[in-house]
Amino acid sequence: AFFKSSAARYAGADPEARKIQYVTVTDTDLPGGKPQIALADIQQYYNQNLALYKVDPQVKVRHILISVDPNGGPNADAAAKAKAQAILDQLRKDNGKDFAELAKKNSDDPGSKDQGGELGWIKHGTTVAEFDQTAFSQQPGQISGLVRTQFGYHIIQTEEKQDAHTKPLDEVKVSIVDTLTKQKEAQAEQAFVSQLANEAQKSSLAQAAAAHHVPVLTSDYVATGATLPGMSDSSKLLAAAFASRPGTPAQVATTGDNSFAVFQVTDVKPAHTPTFDEYKSHILDDFRDQQVPALLARKTNELADRAHAEHDLAKAAKEVGATIKTSDLVGRDAQVPDVGSLAQSAPALFDLAIGQISNAINNGTTGVVAKIVDKQEPSAADLAKNFDSTRDTLLNQRREQMFSVFVSSLVVSYEKADRVLLNRKMQQSNPLSGS
């Protein structure tokens, strides 16, 4: 009955579907096998991309930071400096052997403290100027004096230095071979699928694939959002298949993983209205979606009516098969399981006295009837503490209410005077008018 009464809803509900024949091509299918990269190609790529292999000057450093409270005044600065100096004296005494331990124990830098003050490799400009200048001016192993920055007092150890240079070919050769291999594979795959498509147009896709010993796959009737076997991403192929006309010669599409496919649409099933049996599972879901809100509201109202009539929520819940749950003491802004935000779903609960039962509360997915079992009013101290913020909140609410009333009254008065209509006519005559 629902299906018949919803005929307009299901008109054309079964979308157009197409049967697709296709061949996927990866680097393992290439006739010549994996491309070989010549040494001359590697050297040429390196020479043409030297900028990629330039390394800026950098230093590997660790530090200990003793921070200074910016609002602490001269005494705070002096105390931090004295603490930093004591740590520095200890480091110089043991030639920096305890740097990591002292950093873990004393440093105020949360990002490096647990790593013994280790910052790793840094380039010029990645730290504040005073830190940068000291770190780059020292030799490996050298520990600085106290370095004052906006953060406090630093003790910096330069562990390693690396001057500006260009990485030699031997160091980057493997990555170049990998890059060139991928480029050549993509070129070879493109050439191969183009060849397959051309051969398929002269005979058929099945014959062309058989000649090159690659398998042909044929899909069922699929819609645009389907997933085709044998490829990680079939969206581009499907988009092209649904944009082409039946009988169009074989075409090439990418498959989303740097591979390609050759495909042809072999048949089309137009969008149509499904029969009841074909679409029964969808109809059942739709019917439930339509019925549930009304059923939920009816059941929750029944529970509320029973609870009020019997003055017993637990008994009424048992009679209708509902579950009793109890919350902690919660405030107006609380999120309560099954209820949601009290401020939005059930603000009226705070107007009830202990023992009173609420009306039905329905948040769209769950029906609730509540009984107040405990209530805690704010103390005089709480009221005094939150007086200003509560007053501001109430004032803002009143302002919004008054503004809403004002705007509504203004619209009514304008409509009576035909000024709203006039303004609309002006906008129609001047489409660039702001209001």
Side-chain angles (χ1 to χ4, degrees), residues 279-309:
Y279 223 60
K280 186 175 180 179
S281 62
H282 296 287
I283 298 166
L284 182 58
D285 290 339
D286 293 343
F287 179 70
R288 284 175 173 153
D289 289 343
Q290 184 195 67
Q291 295 297 311
V292 162
L295 292 170
L296 180 63
R298 189 174 70 198
K299 193 80 170 178
T300 309
N301 286 326
E302 179 187 347
L303 173 59
D305 291 343
R306 282 176 178 262
H308 286 122

Side-chain angles (χ1 to χ4, degrees), residues 70-387:
N71 301 315
N75 291 337
D77 188 283
K81 185 175 182 180
K83 181 179 179 180
Q85 185 62 53
I87 296 170
L88 178 60
D89 292 342
Q90 187 173 346
L91 285 169
R92 286 176 172 169
K93 185 177 180 180
D94 66 6
N95 294 319
K97 291 180 181 179
D98 292 335
F99 198 104
E101 289 303 316
L102 289 171
K104 290 179 181 179
K105 186 183 296 184
N106 299 284
S107 182
D108 293 323
D109 176 13
S112 67
K113 177 178 181 176
D114 293 339
Q115 288 75 44
E118 191 67 56
L119 293 177
W121 289 97
I122 62 172
K123 296 180 180 181
H124 274 303
T126 56
T127 61
V128 291
E130 302 90 343
F131 193 106
D132 185 278
Q133 182 179 358
T134 302
F136 278 88
S137 64
Q138 295 184 147
Q139 295 305 312
Q142 187 176 350
I143 297 176
S144 72
L146 300 184
V147 179
R148 183 68 163 92
T149 72
Q150 66 198 64
F151 304 107
Y153 289 93
H154 303 260
I155 302 169
I156 305 167
Q157 183 180 42
T158 300
E159 300 176 278
E160 297 180 51
K161 292 186 76 170
Q162 197 174 71
D163 295 330
H165 67 283
T166 300
K167 293 180 181 179
L169 176 59
D170 287 343
E171 186 177 334
V172 298
K173 183 177 179 181
V174 173
S175 66
I176 293 176
V177 169
D178 184 57
T179 299
L180 291 176
T181 299
K182 288 178 180 178
Q183 289 179 356
K184 287 185 177 292
E185 283 177 348
Q187 293 168 358
E189 286 177 22
Q190 286 180 314
F192 183 45
V193 294
S194 296
Q195 179 184 349
L196 272 178
N198 290 333
E199 292 177 7
Q201 291 173 13
K202 296 175 182 177
S203 54
S204 70
L205 183 56
Q207 289 179 335
H212 293 280
H213 308 289
V214 289
V216 177
L217 300 175
T218 302
S219 73
D220 294 327
Y221 286 98
V222 294
T224 53
T227 299
L228 297 178
M231 59 184 73
S232 60
D233 181 3
S234 52
S235 59
K236 293 182 179 178
L237 187 152
L238 287 169
F242 276 81
S244 64
R245 295 179 179 179
T248 300
Q251 302 175 59
V252 175
T254 59
T255 60
D257 52 1
N258 295 322
S259 297
F260 302 87
V262 182
F263 74 92
Q264 195 165 18
V265 177
T266 59
D267 197 14
V268 176
K269 185 186 290 185
H272 65 283
T273 300
T275 64
F276 178 78
D277 289 334
E278 287 175 337
Y279 223 60
K280 186 175 180 179
S281 62
H282 296 287
I283 298 166
L284 182 58
D285 290 339
D286 293 343
F287 179 70
R288 284 175 173 153
D289 289 343
Q290 184 195 67
Q291 295 297 311
V292 162
L295 292 170
L296 180 63
R298 189 174 70 198
K299 193 80 170 178
T300 309
N301 286 326
E302 179 187 347
L303 173 59
D305 291 343
R306 282 176 178 262
H308 286 122
E310 299 169 353
H311 304 290
D312 191 333
L313 179 60
K315 182 180 178 182
K318 186 176 181 180
E319 291 172 348
V320 301
T323 303
I324 288 282
K325 298 182 180 181
T326 305
S327 77
D328 296 327
L329 279 168
V330 291
R332 291 178 184 271
D333 57 350
Q335 290 278 344
V336 177
D338 300 321
V339 182
S341 169
L342 291 184
Q344 295 179 357
S345 300
L349 291 181
F350 288 88
D351 298 327
L352 301 180
I354 293 177
Q356 281 191 292
I357 298 172
S358 75
N359 292 322
I361 302 167
N362 191 336
N363 64 12
T365 58
T366 308
V368 175
V369 178
K371 176 183 177 181
I372 307 302
V373 295
D374 194 8
K375 192 169 185 178
Q376 190 177 85
E377 300 291 349
S379 66
D382 292 331
L383 290 172
K385 180 181 177 181
N386 297 299
F387 179 81

Side-chain angles (χ1 to χ4, degrees), residues 12 28 45 67-68 111 116 145 188 191 200 276 299 321 355 357 375 411:
T28 59
Y45 184 92
S67 62
V68 177
F276 178 78
K299 193 80 170 178
I357 298 172
K375 192 169 185 178
V411 169

